Amino acid sequence: MSQEYKDESLHRILCKMDPDTYPSASQSRKAIEHGRLVVLRADDYCLPTSTSGGSTLDSTISNVGIIADSSITLHDGDVIAIRSRLDNGSYPQSCTKYVDPPTNIKDFLAVENPVLFEDDHIAIVNKPGMLDCIGEKRNDLQSILPFVLRPPDNKTTKNNPSSQYYIPRPVHRLDRKTSGCVLVAKSKNAMRQFSHLFASRQVKKGYCAITFGMPTPFDKNNSTTIDGEEYSIIDYPIDGKDAVTLWRVVQTVTTKKYGKLSLLHCLPKTGRNHQIRRHLSYCLKTSIVGDNKYDGGGDMAKKTRELGMFLCSNRIEFVHAIDKSNVSVEIPLPRKFSALLELDRTEVAI
């Protein structure tokens, strides 16, 4: 970095040094935001005299380079280098724009089997709790997807090449605190067709929740049998719209610390906002452990909020909208579920 650029901001330096690549301040700022530049401090490196062996230079940049941001200050002798991501089978950098994945990708990859199903049209992923499906500032599931999924095969997209570069997006959403199965579309056609499946209630989803207390099953006139199991029916409008949830008690335990807790299996027949959370709290008077919005704010409820919410979408089933195959995915519950139910347990109620 020569003295003529002293005290200049990086995005302006880029425009002056390489106006063909960065013809405007907006484009140079985007390059910085996307992590495409690295600064090598003059005091921290010594470039090889010959760069015929590219790996030596690459190694130097990787070891001592500082990924540039808008606040970086340049000094005399510093070198600006361009970064790019090597092809690893995921969506190319031309699609993601960013070189690096979001920092919260580590939380996604830490869950058991983060990618549960994938073909050229859709994927089903295992969203961890405390992650928005669609949020802001790359702090969401949607921003992670291009770095963990593969783009559709060329043969699949030969009649519509642009679909190869469609950024994968969730077809539906789970609450931020809810973990589990999320269906993802990998093309505009898939998004349209699978959105129709949800709108026409052709997607079956199953949830498990741990609640305070033990809800009392309804009478036979307000229940139904599915796969040999009897489910009680909650038919209670939400926000002025019909809302139906089937539920049954899987297990109830008594713990020394939190009292009686129940594991419930829930089958929502509609998809209203916070439907299961509201139905269990309003209709059964047994709120979900860790649900600070609907837990009533009691002393016991407040003690468990730091544990996160115990609601998991552990099953999804549908007929594939494009190839007409039967798709069914079921995942084990997060380890924290069994840990809570086993915590200082004193007795089990069947």
Side-chain angles (χ1 to χ4, degrees):
M1 185 62 54
S2 65
Q3 283 288 344
E4 65 179 293
Y5 299 120
K6 184 179 180 182
D7 299 326
E8 289 267 23
S9 60
L10 177 58
H11 75 273
R12 295 187 184 280
I13 293 173
L14 293 173
C15 292
K16 291 181 177 180
M17 292 182 64
D18 191 354
D20 292 334
T21 304
Y22 309 105
S24 69
S26 173
Q27 290 183 328
S28 61
R29 284 193 181 101
K30 285 182 179 179
I32 297 169
E33 177 189 348
H34 296 161
R36 298 205 299 265
L37 299 166
V38 62
V39 173
L40 283 72
R41 295 299 191 193
D43 296 337
D44 294 337
Y45 78 94
C46 179
L47 289 179
T49 54
S50 172
T51 58
S52 58
S55 59
T56 303
L57 180 57
D58 292 342
S59 176
T60 300
I61 293 174
S62 299
N63 290 334
V64 302
I66 301 171
I67 299 174
D69 61 24
S70 58
S71 65
I72 195 166
T73 300
L74 299 177
H75 307 292
D76 187 31
D78 289 350
V79 172
I80 302 173
I82 297 175
R83 301 175 70 229
S84 62
R85 189 173 72 248
L86 297 177
D87 181 12
N88 62 356
S90 61
Y91 283 73
Q93 186 178 318
S94 59
C95 295
T96 64
K97 306 301 182 185
Y98 290 87
V99 176
D100 301 307
T103 56
N104 58 3
I105 193 173
K106 62 182 183 301
D107 299 322
F108 175 81
L109 296 176
V111 304
E112 186 174 357
N113 298 322
V115 179
L116 303 164
F117 174 89
E118 185 176 13
D119 63 18
D120 284 332
H121 309 286
I122 60 170
I124 300 173
V125 300
N126 188 0
K127 183 187 86 70
M130 302 309 296
L131 177 67
D132 289 316
C133 284
I134 301 175
E136 299 178 349
K137 298 181 179 179
R138 303 185 75 214
N139 189 29
D140 60 0
L141 176 66
Q142 180 169 276
S143 299
I144 293 172
L145 295 174
F147 294 90
V148 296
L149 301 179
R150 57 175 174 78
D153 184 80
N154 285 331
K155 292 182 291 185
T156 303
T157 58
K158 62 182 179 181
N159 296 323
N160 184 17
S162 63
S163 66
Q164 181 179 359
Y165 302 107
Y166 179 88
I167 298 298
R169 296 171 171 87
V171 180
H172 63 112
R173 301 191 192 191
L174 296 180
D175 296 337
R176 172 179 171 80
K177 295 182 179 181
T178 303
S179 61
C181 302
V182 174
L183 178 62
V184 175
K186 298 171 69 175
S187 69
K188 290 183 179 179
N189 179 47
M191 176 61 79
R192 181 174 60 253
Q193 296 205 42
F194 283 90
S195 294
H196 174 71
L197 286 189
F198 273 93
S200 56
R201 300 179 183 176
Q202 298 181 59
V203 178
K204 299 178 180 178
K205 295 191 293 178
Y207 290 74
C208 281
I210 296 180
T211 66
F212 293 105
M214 180 179 179
T216 303
F218 300 155
D219 58 43
K220 298 290 184 180
N221 295 326
N222 202 16
S223 63
T224 186
T225 300
I226 299 177
D227 296 332
E229 299 286 355
E230 188 172 2
Y231 287 80
S232 293
I233 303 173
I234 300 175
D235 188 349
Y236 184 83
I238 290 178
D239 299 331
K241 299 179 180 179
D242 65 300
V244 177
T245 302
L246 311 185
W247 65 275
R248 69 180 180 89
V249 177
V250 177
Q251 180 186 22
T252 297
V253 303
T254 300
T255 67
K256 293 179 180 178
K257 190 171 184 178
Y258 301 119
K260 189 169 289 186
L261 302 174
S262 294
L263 176 65
L264 271 57
H265 187 222
C266 301
L267 304 174
K269 296 303 180 182
T270 51
R272 308 304 175 205
N273 185 43
H274 297 174
Q275 177 174 314
I276 294 175
R277 298 166 62 183
R278 294 162 86 174
H279 272 173
L280 298 186
S281 178
Y282 297 166
C283 302
L284 301 187
K285 309 302 181 185
T286 53
S287 59
I288 297 174
V289 175
D291 186 353
N292 64 340
K293 189 174 182 67
Y294 303 107
D295 63 12
D299 291 340
M300 188 62 70
K302 290 180 179 178
K303 290 180 181 178
T304 62
R305 288 178 179 178
E306 64 184 20
L307 303 177
M309 190 166 70
F310 285 76
L311 178 62
C312 176
S313 175
N314 68 317
R315 183 178 176 84
I316 188 168
E317 183 179 355
F318 52 85
V319 175
H320 200 295
I322 297 175
D323 67 20
K324 307 306 178 185
S325 62
N326 291 317
V327 178
S328 180
V329 170
E330 185 169 4
I331 60 174
L333 296 178
R335 287 188 289 271
K336 73 174 188 177
F337 277 64
S338 58
L340 182 65
L341 292 174
E342 294 293 333
L343 185 66
D344 294 328
R345 189 170 69 178
T346 58
E347 62 180 83
V348 179
I350 303 300

